[in-house]
Amino acid sequence: MAPKDDDKPLELMAETETKRKGANGKKDDKKRSGKGKDGKKNDNGDMIDDSNAMSEEDRQLKERLETCVSTLINESNEAAVTPAIRLKAIDVIVAELRSATSSMTSVPKPLKFLRPKFDVLKGYYGSIAEDKGVEGDREMVYLRARLGDVLAVLAMTLGKHEERESLKFKLQGTKDYDLLVTLGDAASQDDLGSWGHEFVRSLAGEIGQEYNARVVAGADPAEDGPFADLLAMVDVIVPFNVAHNSEAEAVDLLIEVQRLKKVLDLDSIDEKNYRRVCMYLIKTADFMSDPDDYTEVLESAYELFVKQSQYFDALRVALRMGNEDVIPSLFSQCSDDKLMRKQMCLLLARQRINYVVKEDDDGSAEELNELIGNEKLSEEFLKVAQDLDVMDPKTPEDIYKSHLAETGGFSRRRDAGNAGVDSARANLASTYVNAFVNAGFGQDKLMTPDNEWLYKNKDHGMMAASASLGLIQLWNVEEGLAQIDKFLYSSEEYVKAGAALAVGILSSGVRNDADPTVALLDEHINGDSHIMKCAACTGLGIAYAGSAREDVMELLLPIVEQESAGPATMLEVSLAGLALGMIFVGKCDDAAGGTIVQRLMEASDEELDHSHAKFLCVGLGLLFLGRMEKADAMIEALKTIEHKISKFAAIVLETFAYAGSGNVLRVQEMLHQCAEHLEEDAAHQMAAVIGIGLITMGEPVGAEMALRSFEHLLHYCELPVKRAVPLALGVLNISNPDFSVIDQLSRMSHDPDTEISQNAILIMGLTSAGTNNSRVAGLLRQLSEFYSKEAGHVFCVRIAQAMLHMGKGLMTLNPMHSDRMITSGPALGGILTLIFSCLDLKSTLLDKTHYLLYYLTCAMNPRMLITVNEDLSWRPVTVRVGQAVDTVGQAGKPKTITGFQTHTTPVLISAKERAELGTEEVLSVSSVLEGIVILKDNPDYEAPESSHK
């Protein structure tokens, strides 16, 4: 568009022309004298004269165009002006318009000079459009088609936007070109792209509007008939855009006219630009509110990747959709590429997918199944730990650093003579700190040397202590079982229960041929001991998270269905329901879902009031994690329960179903739930706040907006809602200690309300889990002094410290991986179990079910990048690690990381970092450098010649 300053002279030119015509009766092009007559004052009273405002070149162009227009219109019907001459005139106009270029601040000159003639040309076009005699005259039809093109270009800036004049003229022009073909003139076709990008872009916008207008008017979007003329133009515009590096605009237009599948038939998408198209499609999926559109966009990206033989990326998209049925076909399609298959197995292992590769001719199935089963994970993790020199076991005191507490020459304790807090709880906290810090290292200073520490705890503390062995030996099934075995036959019921839980923790995410967990826990789950049942349920839930094992479900279903005989039974029912949710996470399993809903419906009010009944709802929600509209039927069923838990369960199920989708409508619904001012019975509001974080977690724009909403909730809502805000902040920033979020949590950790401050402390641990962040470590040390007399707070601080230093800084809890594209269901499930425990800390973590903390094992993963050879032996190479930059839809080849440092693998990568190879000597099989990456030699690499002195 022209700036406003340019508009006045143009209007004046038009008026001057009109006056001159009025005075002379007809236009006289050669008469250009008499400044006084043609001059006109502008708003400031200055005289303006068009003849002085233009250069000689511009004046000649203006005269040439005006002559052409008068020749074309031929007002006086001169016989000498034949259609051939008119065609010459319009050719001159077309040539000038096409060759015109403009700067960013001005309209192209030909467009400027033709502006006053727009209505005249429109009137003439109208007269020949209605003249039926033109139809058989080939020259006049061609003239009409060319004039339609010219008017379409002029209407781009002059036409009425709401009437879509530009598109109207173009469509009429297209009809004339089709008519010319029937008249035998196939050569006279218009090249849409020759009018330039701006015109094509403007036309695409109007096509979208026209399409929507026709749908509103009653046309069926599923049929091509009512939109044939528009779709013919789309078929020209889309390849043009793709060929000119405007892939994003091509995809947008296809989405606008609901014909995205056409992208698969484009020949112009090749190995050079398919990645740009696919990445844009994947990014666009975040903004699709309709589940069908969401699936269609991702399926298109999937099929494009398969078409280009990029099976690893196709698998990433399939996992993003939750479509595991395509895995066998992907493996069979790349049966020749052994490295690709190995890399795909490593991705399935990270996502905890229980897939078994069928035996094939080359006998590689066993090796591939070992990779999917994470059997080498412990070995690789320990090699990285040795490489980084962090093998020495750490004691809880190394983490607390209590010698730093009394700094500044005076005691900060309120009462220096106080003899410390409840020692049983302090020992319990030390058990957890020891377990999490030494997780996966196989050695520590409390549990592995002897059994002394075990007996410094009592009851549930002993259970936690013996279970901690499973975490210390994490992923190392053979050695771990040897250490745990002796405790399975202990005379102490709690030690035995802890050992049963340890077996489950030990094999979290690891598939073993012997399958020890089911074998060892089978007898306990059917036994009479309450604590053994609880431990066995939790152990099975952790060990088989995401595996969808039918045999494990058959063990758990009878426990969910059992008749209640008091609070103890309801605890078993709830833990079994939670375990079922973890095992079938995101699988929408009818048997598990139906059983849990049935149990909720049949339960008495007393049972539903049980502090752990909410875990049944969490288990049900996990079954539908990320499955969107598939949870609708279950939500309706839950609404029939006549108890306040029905609201809570429905919101949990809905938010879990839309987890990571960024669905704005669902976020608005949750905010609406929080608007009501309730002092009690507000559990559903707390679930809604967590739900806002959960829905927006996968999408950066939504996450930013959610943070603002939480500010409002803290200002205006009642206590229950405020208590859930730190938990929602935690969901948004798992293992990602963002400065502003830590700041916010630090303020909330000093809140006078006990629950807000305890939640904020625990979430400080969750947001910095496995990062060793020194700022958070300092804040937690200060909090341990500040709350030195509050046993509950101190316990929370210790657990937060355990998470912060988890795996000595080599692990992460972040459920999002593969460049933040895929969310691991079991990992998110484990974190949500902790988050929902925090809704009622007094009866969960600060009471007897603190062992729910071990569910975090499902989310624990090494945050390392290891590069390996084809035989999976280490191959150290240089890589650049920096902050990830979103380059989707940007022109050219922008840098994907910023502020990078160059390291030699293995390296650690944090939540928002990305790595890229620092050498051209090798190529990676995987398109994302995370976890274990297989390298192959670059066949095109030429080593630089060494300079000899």
Side-chain angles (χ1 to χ4, degrees):
M1 284 296 291
K4 289 189 176 169
D5 297 351
D6 280 358
D7 286 356
K8 288 241 165 62
L10 289 172
E11 284 165 24
L12 292 168
M13 284 180 205
E15 281 182 42
T16 313
E17 287 295 329
T18 318
K19 281 183 185 173
R20 190 183 288 148
K21 273 190 204 165
N24 300 345
K26 62 181 175 179
K27 183 176 159 204
D28 179 2
D29 286 321
K30 290 172 186 169
K31 224 169 167 186
R32 289 217 173 278
S33 55
K35 292 178 190 172
K37 280 183 264 174
D38 291 342
K40 182 167 166 62
K41 290 186 177 180
N42 68 5
D43 294 350
N44 302 328
D46 300 323
M47 292 296 288
I48 289 184
D49 179 14
D50 61 335
S51 56
N52 285 348
M54 284 187 283
S55 67
E56 186 61 36
E57 196 182 336
D58 289 353
R59 193 181 299 115
Q60 284 174 3
L61 174 61
K62 184 169 188 274
E63 285 177 10
R64 191 156 65 248
L65 289 171
E66 285 172 352
T67 308
C68 290
V69 171
S70 61
T71 306
L72 179 64
I73 294 168
N74 190 17
E75 278 182 0
S76 52
N77 289 327
E78 292 173 22
V81 182
T82 60
I85 292 175
R86 287 180 174 184
L87 276 172
K88 286 248 171 48
I90 202 160
D91 281 344
V92 172
I93 295 175
V94 168
E96 291 294 353
L97 279 171
R98 281 183 174 171
S99 62
T101 54
S102 67
S103 68
M104 291 297 286
T105 54
S106 66
V107 177
K109 290 278 178 6
L111 213 55
K112 210 174 196 176
F113 298 145
L114 286 170
R115 198 169 177 171
K117 306 293 180 192
F118 181 57
D119 291 328
V120 179
L121 288 168
K122 228 160 84 174
Y124 174 64
Y125 184 79
S127 67
I128 58 172
E130 289 162 15
D131 186 356
K132 295 292 177 197
V134 170
E135 303 294 316
D137 185 343
R138 200 158 68 187
E139 283 191 324
M140 282 307 288
V141 171
Y142 185 46
L143 176 71
R144 190 167 69 186
R146 299 286 273 171
L147 183 55
D149 286 346
V150 170
L151 285 169
V153 175
L154 293 176
M156 178 170 66
T157 52
L158 303 173
K160 293 178 182 136
H161 191 58
E162 63 282 357
E163 288 180 15
R164 298 184 282 284
E165 282 189 313
S166 183
L167 178 62
K168 208 182 293 174
F169 286 126
K170 189 66 207 154
L171 288 174
Q172 285 170 340
T174 308
K175 279 181 193 164
D176 285 335
Y177 284 118
D178 293 342
L179 180 59
L180 280 170
V181 174
T182 60
L183 292 172
D185 187 0
S188 303
Q189 281 299 318
D190 176 46
D191 176 15
L192 192 64
S194 63
W195 292 103
H197 277 274
E198 279 306 325
F199 177 61
V200 173
R201 188 176 291 151
S202 160
L203 213 52
E206 292 193 3
I207 287 172
Q209 292 169 358
E210 177 67 24
Y211 179 87
N212 291 331
R214 291 187 193 181
V215 171
V216 170
D220 181 7
E223 291 179 16
D224 286 353
F227 312 103
D229 52 349
L230 295 180
L231 295 178
M233 206 164 280
V234 168
D235 290 339
V236 176
I237 292 175
V238 170
F240 173 81
N241 276 337
V242 173
H244 291 82
N245 302 325
S246 299
E247 296 91 352
E249 287 173 27
V251 170
D252 287 342
L253 179 58
L254 288 172
I255 290 172
E256 197 74 42
V257 296
Q258 299 180 15
R259 298 289 185 279
L260 187 57
K261 288 294 176 193
K262 282 178 181 278
V263 81
L264 303 173
D265 307 326
L266 292 175
D267 297 331
S268 43
I269 294 182
D270 53 21
E271 68 280 355
K272 294 188 183 71
N273 59 10
Y274 76 90
R275 188 168 293 281
R276 287 166 59 88
V277 176
C278 291
M279 295 320 288
Y280 186 74
L281 283 167
I282 292 163
K283 203 73 177 165
T284 310
D286 287 334
F287 302 98
M288 294 290 166
S289 55
D290 182 61
D292 293 340
D293 292 345
Y294 174 84
T295 310
E296 187 187 25
V297 170
L298 288 177
E299 273 178 359
S300 302
Y302 169 79
E303 287 177 37
L304 277 175
F305 276 134
V306 172
K307 207 171 163 187
Q308 295 293 332
S309 305
Q310 299 297 318
Y311 302 111
F312 178 79
D313 287 311
L315 179 61
R316 289 171 68 210
V317 178
L319 294 178
R320 166 81 182 264
M321 289 190 284
N323 181 4
E324 292 172 25
D325 302 338
V326 299
I327 297 175
S329 81
L330 283 174
F331 269 94
S332 62
Q333 280 173 286
C334 64
S335 53
D336 302 336
D337 191 343
K338 289 182 181 175
L339 296 186
M340 180 71 82
R341 296 180 83 184
K342 283 183 184 176
Q343 192 68 65
M344 286 161 71
C345 289
L346 289 165
L347 179 63
L348 292 174
R350 172 68 176 89
Q351 184 69 357
R352 307 261 166 110
I353 300 285
N354 186 30
Y355 174 71
V356 179
V357 180
K358 300 283 182 289
E359 196 61 59
D360 51 13
D361 304 335
D362 60 0
S364 61
E366 189 181 341
E367 185 189 3
L368 295 178
N369 284 323
E370 268 184 22
L371 290 176
I372 297 178
N374 270 324
E375 289 185 31
K376 297 270 196 306
L377 185 60
S378 173
E379 188 186 316
E380 296 293 346
F381 177 69
L382 290 171
K383 274 171 77 179
V384 172
Q386 281 168 348
D387 191 79
L388 299 173
D389 198 21
V390 288
M391 283 303 290
D392 294 344
K394 285 216 181 323
T395 62
E397 184 48 46
D398 293 338
I399 303 305
Y400 302 159
K401 295 194 168 74
S402 34
H403 61 280
L404 297 176
E406 295 174 357
T407 50
F410 66 93
S411 169
R412 285 190 185 165
R413 294 175 190 271
R414 290 172 225 170
D415 178 8
N418 186 28
V421 288
D422 168 16
S423 62
R425 180 162 280 172
N427 285 354
L428 178 65
S430 294
T431 298
Y432 281 113
V433 171
N434 180 61
F436 277 102
V437 171
N438 295 302
F441 284 85
Q443 51 183 352
D444 70 318
K445 288 187 177 172
L446 292 189
M447 285 301 299
T448 44
D450 52 39
N451 300 346
E452 195 182 321
W453 178 259
L454 194 59
Y455 299 101
K456 285 188 178 176
N457 293 278
K458 57 183 186 191
D459 297 355
H460 288 81
M462 288 169 105
M463 177 181 170
S466 51
S468 72
L469 270 174
L471 196 50
I472 292 163
Q473 297 287 351
L474 185 60
W475 306 317
N476 190 349
V477 180
E478 261 75 31
E479 280 184 37
L481 279 174
Q483 289 211 15
I484 295 163
D485 192 53
K486 57 180 185 236
F487 295 111
L488 279 168
Y489 306 103
S490 167
S491 55
E492 279 281 354
E493 193 85 322
Y494 286 101
V495 174
K496 207 158 138 188
L501 179 51
V503 173
I505 294 169
L506 176 71
S507 43
S508 167
V510 177
R511 207 164 60 190
N512 191 290
D513 293 339
D515 209 7
T517 315
V518 142
L520 291 167
L521 300 188
D522 189 353
E523 55 175 302
H524 301 308
I525 209 151
N526 298 317
D528 300 326
S529 162
H530 163 66
I531 191 65
M532 288 306 291
K533 276 188 179 179
C534 291
C537 288
T538 308
L540 287 172
I542 294 171
Y544 296 110
S547 68
R549 290 265 300 263
E550 298 283 338
D551 54 336
V552 183
M553 175 161 72
E554 283 162 21
L555 292 175
L556 290 166
L557 284 181
I559 297 193
V560 177
E561 289 166 344
Q562 67 182 329
E563 289 295 318
S564 181
T569 319
M570 194 56 195
L571 178 60
E572 292 168 17
V573 170
S574 303
L575 291 175
L578 178 61
L580 271 178
M582 286 297 290
I583 294 165
F584 288 87
V585 62
K587 299 288 187 296
C588 307
D589 188 86
D590 288 336
T595 307
I596 294 174
V597 169
Q598 193 66 30
R599 188 69 183 83
L600 283 167
M601 286 175 169
E602 291 170 0
S604 64
D605 284 2
E606 187 187 352
E607 286 179 295
L608 295 178
D609 286 335
H610 189 280
S611 58
H612 286 66
K614 62 175 175 285
F615 287 113
L616 260 183
C617 307
V618 172
L620 181 61
L622 288 172
L623 291 173
F624 294 91
L625 190 71
R627 286 288 164 270
M628 299 200 255
E629 81 289 355
K630 289 184 183 159
D632 291 350
M634 284 291 183
I635 293 172
E636 290 308 312
L638 288 171
K639 287 178 181 170
T640 60
I641 300 169
E642 292 174 7
H643 186 270
K644 62 185 179 189
I645 203 168
S646 122
K647 252 184 177 179
F648 174 83
I651 286 179
V652 165
L653 185 47
E654 189 172 354
T655 53
F656 278 40
Y658 285 88
S661 67
N663 190 305
V664 182
L665 302 175
R666 294 290 176 276
V667 173
Q668 287 172 347
E669 214 174 292
M670 295 305 128
L671 283 168
H672 186 67
Q673 292 285 353
C674 300
E676 200 180 347
H677 290 281
L678 299 172
E679 291 285 348
E680 46 195 43
D681 292 347
H684 65 282
Q685 288 191 330
M686 297 171 89
V689 178
I690 295 169
I692 294 170
L694 190 55
I695 292 167
T696 56
M697 70 181 288
E699 196 262 299
V701 180
E704 282 287 322
M705 291 167 73
L707 289 176
R708 284 189 55 127
S709 304
F710 295 150
E711 289 282 349
H712 296 172
L713 295 180
L714 283 172
H715 282 147
Y716 304 116
C717 290
E718 301 299 328
L719 258 180
V721 173
K722 289 183 181 177
R723 286 171 181 163
V725 169
L727 305 177
L729 284 171
V731 174
L732 282 175
N733 294 277
I734 301 161
S735 286
N736 176 24
D738 184 70
F739 188 89
S740 58
V741 172
I742 293 295
D743 219 35
Q744 173 88 300
L745 289 169
S746 176
R747 286 199 297 278
M748 291 161 90
S749 65
H750 292 83
D751 197 277
D753 181 77
T754 310
E755 289 184 43
I756 293 180
S757 52
Q758 287 178 346
N759 285 349
I761 292 167
L762 275 170
I763 296 304
M764 278 169 85
L766 182 67
T767 50
S768 56
T771 61
N772 283 349
N773 187 293
S774 56
R775 181 164 174 262
V776 178
L779 291 170
L780 289 172
R781 273 201 304 277
Q782 288 169 15
L783 285 164
S784 69
E785 296 172 51
F786 185 76
Y787 287 116
S788 56
K789 284 187 173 176
E790 312 278 344
H793 281 81
V794 171
F795 183 77
C796 290
V797 171
R798 297 305 183 216
I799 299 299
Q801 287 175 315
M803 286 194 269
L804 167 65
H805 297 286
M806 186 176 70
K808 298 179 197 163
L810 304 191
M811 290 189 189
T812 181
L813 289 179
N814 195 350
M816 303 183 81
H817 60 101
S818 200
D819 215 359
R820 296 182 68 80
M821 181 174 152
I822 313 171
T823 303
S824 165
L828 189 53
I831 288 157
L832 288 170
T833 303
L834 170 70
I835 295 280
F836 277 87
S837 311
C838 293
L839 292 182
D840 185 9
L841 279 171
K842 285 197 293 291
S843 50
T844 54
L845 302 186
L846 298 179
D847 195 35
K848 292 178 179 163
T849 49
H850 41 71
Y851 52 83
L852 286 171
L853 270 171
Y854 285 124
Y855 262 114
L856 281 180
T857 314
C858 302
M860 288 165 70
N861 260 295
R863 60 187 188 99
M864 59 198 185
L865 163 61
I866 306 174
T867 46
V868 295
N869 277 317
E870 299 170 17
D871 60 353
L872 299 187
S873 58
W874 276 21
R875 179 174 185 172
V877 294
T878 53
V879 288
R880 293 188 284 268
V881 180
Q883 289 294 306
V885 179
D886 184 12
T887 57
V888 175
Q890 289 186 13
K893 290 186 178 175
K895 293 272 184 283
T896 53
I897 56 173
T898 180
F900 62 82
Q901 289 181 317
T902 306
H903 301 277
T904 303
T905 55
V907 293
L908 301 180
I909 296 179
S910 59
K912 289 206 169 165
E913 286 182 336
R914 184 183 286 158
E916 57 182 40
L917 287 171
T919 170
E920 291 177 7
E921 200 174 330
V922 289
L923 299 172
S924 63
V925 176
S926 156
S927 55
V928 179
L929 298 191
E930 274 177 36
I932 299 172
V933 177
I934 301 170
L935 300 178
K936 54 186 178 185
D937 291 321
N938 182 357
D940 302 329
Y941 177 70
E942 290 178 9
E945 293 177 18
S946 52
S947 52
H948 297 289
K949 286 187 179 176

